[in-house]
Amino acid sequence: MGVTGSKAEHRISKILDAALEVFSHKGYRDSAVDDIATTSQTSKGGVYFHFPSKQAIFLALLDRMADLLLSRASKSMAAEPDWPKKGDAALATMLHTFADHRNLTRLFLVEALGAGREFNQKILEMHITFTALIKDYLDTGVVDGYIAPLETRIASIAWFGAVNEVVTRWVLDEEPGNLEDAYNPLRELLRRGIGL
Amino acid sequence: MGVTGSKAEHRISKILDAALEVFSHKGYRDSAVDDIATTSQTSKGGVYFHFPSKQAIFLALLDRMADLLLSRASKSMAAEPDWPKKGDAALATMLHTFADHRNLTRLFLVEALGAGREFNQKILEMHITFTALIKDYLDTGVVDGYIAPLETRIASIAWFGAVNEVVTRWVLDEEPGNLEDAYNPLRELLRRGIGL
DNA sequence: TAAAACCGACTGACATGTCGGTTTTATAGA
DNA sequence: TCTATAAAACCGACATGTCAGTCGGTTTTA
C-alpha cells in the first residue's frame, strides 16, 4: 500500500470503480450487486462487508463525483484574480472534467435522477450546492459592480441548467462530439444573459 | 361515450390516468402493473389486453405529455404576430402547462431519465424535438434580423436546459412555490443571452 | 353466436441482503 | 524468528420477496 490508503480503503476504491463501471453500463436498477462483486474481483459478501447496501454504494459514487467537480471548480476559480475570468475558468473546468469522466457524468446526470425516489433528496442537495456556488459568484459580481442587479436565484438555476443540458445531450449521444467545443458559444450566452 | 373515443379509447385513457397516478407517486420501477390495474379499476389481464408491456404504458404517457406541450406551445406561438413575443408566449405557455400538470411533469423530467436505458433513446428524441423547435425559432430571428447570428444549436440546448432546470427544481421541491414566478427573470435572461 | 374485452391465479426469473463458515492479516509473547 | 490467537476481511449458497407477463376461462358487446 502506498502512502495513501489502507488495505480497506484500497478495496473500497476498487469496489467503487467496479460499481461505476457496472452502473454506468447498465443503469442503477439493472445492476446487480453480484455484478459489482464480480467486476471488482471480490464477492457479494465482500461488498456487503464494506457497504451496508447497494444504495450506499451509489450514494458514495455520487459524492465522489460532486467532490471532484466542486474541488476542481473552486480551485480553478481561486486561481483567477478578476471576477469575469473566474466564471470562465469554472465553466472550462467543469466541461473539461465532464469530458474526462463520461461514465461518472452519465451516472451523475442521468442515472441518478430516475434511480429512485430515495435519491431525489440527494440530487436536489447537489443541484442546490452547485447553484449556490453560482449564485455566490453572481452576487459577488453584482456587489462589485461588474453586472447590474438581477434575480440571481433564478439566474444561477438557469446557468446550471444550461450547462447541465449541454452536457446531458453529450452524454446521451451515441456518437458524442467534443464537449469542450461548446465552451465558447455557451460562455457567450451565459455572460450576455447576465448583461456582461 | 361522447363524440370522441370508443369504449376502448376510454379504457386506455383510464389506464393511462391510473399509470400516471402510480408512476408519478412511486416511480417507474417501483410501480407494479397490478398497481395500475387496481387504480384503474381493472385487472392485470385487462391492462395487458390494451398494452403489450409496462414499458409501452410509460412510453404512451411520455408521448401524451410531449404532444400536450408541443401543441400548446405551437398554438400560442402562432397566435403572436411578432417574433420576440412568440418566444415569450411559448415560455409562458410551457411554464403554465408544467405548473398545471406537476405529476406529468415529474414523470417527464425526472422519472423518465432513470427509468432505464431503454428510455434514453426516447428521451433524447424528445429533447431533440424541443430544441429543434427552439432552434427554428432562433434561426428565424437571425434571418429576420431580430438578433445577430449565433450558434443556435448550442443556444437552443442551453435555453431548453435553463427552463428544464427551473422546472425540475420546482418539481423536486417538497414545498414548491409558484413556478410561474420564474417567468419574468427567466425571460429576461434568455432574451439577453441571445442579445435581444 | 362470435368476437372483443376482461379477469386473476400462476409461473419463471431474478435480485437483495443474510449468515455460517473460511481465509488472511495483525499483534504479542516466548 | 516462530508460533498462538484474535480480529478483520472475505466467500457464496440460500432464504425471502417481488413482479412482469401468460393463459385458460368468463363476461360483455355487437
Side-chain angles (χ1 to χ4, degrees):
Chain A
M1 248 16 28
V3 177
T4 59
S6 65
K7 180 72 183 292
E9 278 166 356
H10 180 246
R11 215 77 167 93
I12 287 172
S13 178
K14 257 190 101 170
I15 292 170
L16 284 180
D17 288 342
L20 170 59
E21 171 74 22
V22 173
F23 283 150
S24 64
H25 193 65
K26 307 174 67 172
Y28 177 73
R29 304 301 280 255
D30 286 336
S31 300
V33 175
D34 273 315
D35 295 337
I36 297 171
T38 303
T39 305
S40 62
Q41 283 169 305
T42 167
S43 64
K44 185 183 270 191
V47 171
Y48 274 97
F49 179 79
H50 291 291
F51 293 91
S53 65
K54 180 183 172 184
Q55 183 175 330
I57 301 174
F58 192 67
L59 252 21
L61 231 30
L62 290 185
D63 278 334
R64 200 201 232 184
M65 182 65 175
D67 288 349
L68 183 72
L69 280 172
L70 239 26
S71 68
R72 286 204 187 175
S74 303
K75 198 172 293 177
S76 68
M77 283 178 82
E80 288 289 344
D82 61 311
W83 186 82
K85 282 197 177 168
K86 278 182 196 289
D88 296 347
L91 178 61
T93 301
M94 294 288 257
L95 291 183
H96 189 73
T97 305
F98 281 129
D100 257 11
H101 301 82
R102 195 155 180 266
N103 278 353
L104 212 38
T105 301
R106 150 162 252 134
L107 210 70
F108 198 64
L109 298 185
V110 178
E111 306 297 345
L113 260 181
R117 194 53 54 87
E118 324 91 84
F119 297 108
N120 279 194
Q121 188 54 36
K122 185 79 182 177
I123 292 157
L124 189 56
E125 272 171 33
M126 294 177 128
H127 281 218
I128 288 173
T129 303
F130 277 92
T131 49
L133 190 79
I134 298 172
K135 183 170 182 300
D136 273 356
Y137 173 71
L138 293 178
D139 283 336
T140 305
V142 170
V143 170
D144 292 359
Y146 285 99
I147 52 175
L150 76 165
E151 263 280 12
T152 54
R153 199 187 74 86
I154 295 291
S156 61
I157 294 176
W159 270 31
F160 179 84
V163 177
N164 199 353
E165 178 67 17
V166 169
V167 178
T168 299
R169 278 289 277 272
W170 168 79
V171 159
L172 289 181
D173 199 329
E174 308 250 335
E175 294 153 20
N178 185 357
L179 176 61
E180 293 171 82
D181 289 348
Y183 172 71
N184 273 314
L186 196 50
R187 170 176 169 275
E188 207 57 33
L189 209 74
L190 298 179
R191 290 176 70 124
R192 279 205 287 204
I194 58 168
L196 233 189
Chain B
M1 252 7 35
V3 177
T4 61
S6 63
K7 179 74 182 290
E9 277 165 358
H10 181 247
R11 214 77 166 93
I12 287 173
S13 177
K14 257 190 104 169
I15 293 171
L16 284 179
D17 288 342
L20 169 60
E21 171 73 23
V22 174
F23 283 149
S24 66
H25 194 67
K26 308 174 66 173
Y28 177 72
R29 303 302 282 254
D30 287 335
S31 299
V33 175
D34 272 316
D35 294 337
I36 297 170
T38 304
T39 305
S40 62
Q41 284 170 303
T42 166
S43 64
K44 189 186 263 193
V47 171
Y48 274 96
F49 180 79
H50 291 291
F51 293 92
S53 66
K54 181 183 175 185
Q55 184 174 328
I57 301 174
F58 192 67
L59 253 20
L61 230 31
L62 290 186
D63 279 336
R64 199 201 232 185
M65 183 65 174
D67 288 349
L68 184 72
L69 280 172
L70 241 25
S71 69
R72 285 204 188 175
S74 302
K75 198 173 294 179
S76 68
M77 284 177 82
E80 286 290 344
D82 62 310
W83 187 80
K85 283 197 176 169
K86 277 180 195 290
D88 295 348
L91 177 61
T93 302
M94 294 288 255
L95 291 183
H96 188 74
T97 304
F98 281 129
D100 257 12
H101 300 83
R102 196 155 178 264
N103 278 352
L104 212 39
T105 300
R106 148 164 255 135
L107 208 71
F108 198 63
L109 298 185
V110 178
E111 305 297 346
L113 264 179
R117 193 52 53 89
E118 325 88 84
F119 298 107
N120 278 244
Q121 188 55 35
K122 185 77 182 179
I123 293 157
L124 189 56
E125 271 170 34
M126 294 177 127
H127 281 219
I128 288 173
T129 302
F130 277 92
T131 49
L133 190 78
I134 299 172
K135 184 170 180 298
D136 272 357
Y137 173 72
L138 293 178
D139 283 336
T140 304
V142 170
V143 170
D144 292 359
Y146 285 100
I147 54 174
L150 78 163
E151 264 278 11
T152 53
R153 198 187 74 87
I154 296 291
S156 62
I157 294 176
W159 268 31
F160 179 83
V163 177
N164 198 356
E165 179 68 17
V166 169
V167 177
T168 299
R169 277 289 276 274
W170 168 79
V171 159
L172 289 180
D173 199 329
E174 308 250 334
E175 293 155 19
N178 186 357
L179 175 60
E180 293 170 81
D181 288 348
Y183 173 72
N184 273 314
L186 196 51
R187 170 176 169 275
E188 208 57 32
L189 210 75
L190 298 178
R191 288 176 72 122
R192 278 206 288 203
I194 57 169
L196 230 192

